[in-house]
Amino acid sequence: MSIDPLVLLAVAGGGGLGGMARLAVGNLVARYLGVGFPWGTLVVNLSGALLMGLAAGGLGLPGPGAGPAWSLLAIGLLGGYTTVSSFSLQTLTLCQQRRQAAALGYVALTLGTGFAALLAGAWLAGGLP
């Protein structure tokens, strides 16, 4: 299976922009809400889920060989913007600090409201009845 060079370029460019956006949003949220809880990563992941829902609702779910637009937005930009690795590390850090309730709350907030944000984005884009 070969990948269209335009798709590769779209994913690379989107990933770079998404990573920079993640850094900017995470730092901005931390400045206002503090660093005692990983609010920045939570905001990034929830807003990313909402944006992914908007993309899925507006562009439709991708099939095999998704084109450059989906590759740029969903795979590159939002893939670079959201982060499971930071979420996992921050959950472990909360557990190591013996803050199990905060860790469990963080997991529940991220997963539960993340899925709700995805549904809201798809609904706002007209992708859900």
Side-chain angles (χ1 to χ4, degrees):
M1 177 173 119
S2 68
I3 299 175
D4 179 357
L6 183 57
V7 169
L8 286 174
L9 186 60
V11 170
L17 292 172
M20 290 187 291
R22 177 177 70 222
L23 178 65
V25 170
N27 285 342
L28 182 67
V29 171
R31 181 177 307 135
Y32 288 102
L33 298 179
V35 296
F37 187 82
W39 294 111
T41 302
L42 180 63
V43 167
V44 163
N45 285 335
L46 296 182
S47 62
L50 176 67
L51 292 169
M52 186 67 82
L54 287 168
L59 299 173
L61 293 175
W70 181 264
S71 298
L72 172 69
L73 180 64
I75 299 170
L77 186 68
L78 294 177
Y81 178 64
T82 59
T83 174
V84 172
S85 58
S86 291
F87 161 69
S88 300
L89 179 63
Q90 290 162 341
T91 303
L92 175 64
T93 300
L94 290 170
C95 287
Q96 288 177 334
Q97 294 171 345
R98 300 198 190 305
R99 297 175 62 198
Q100 278 71 20
L104 184 60
Y106 184 46
V107 169
L109 271 171
T110 298
L111 298 178
T113 55
F115 184 63
L118 177 82
L119 290 175
W123 179 77
L124 287 170
L128 291 177

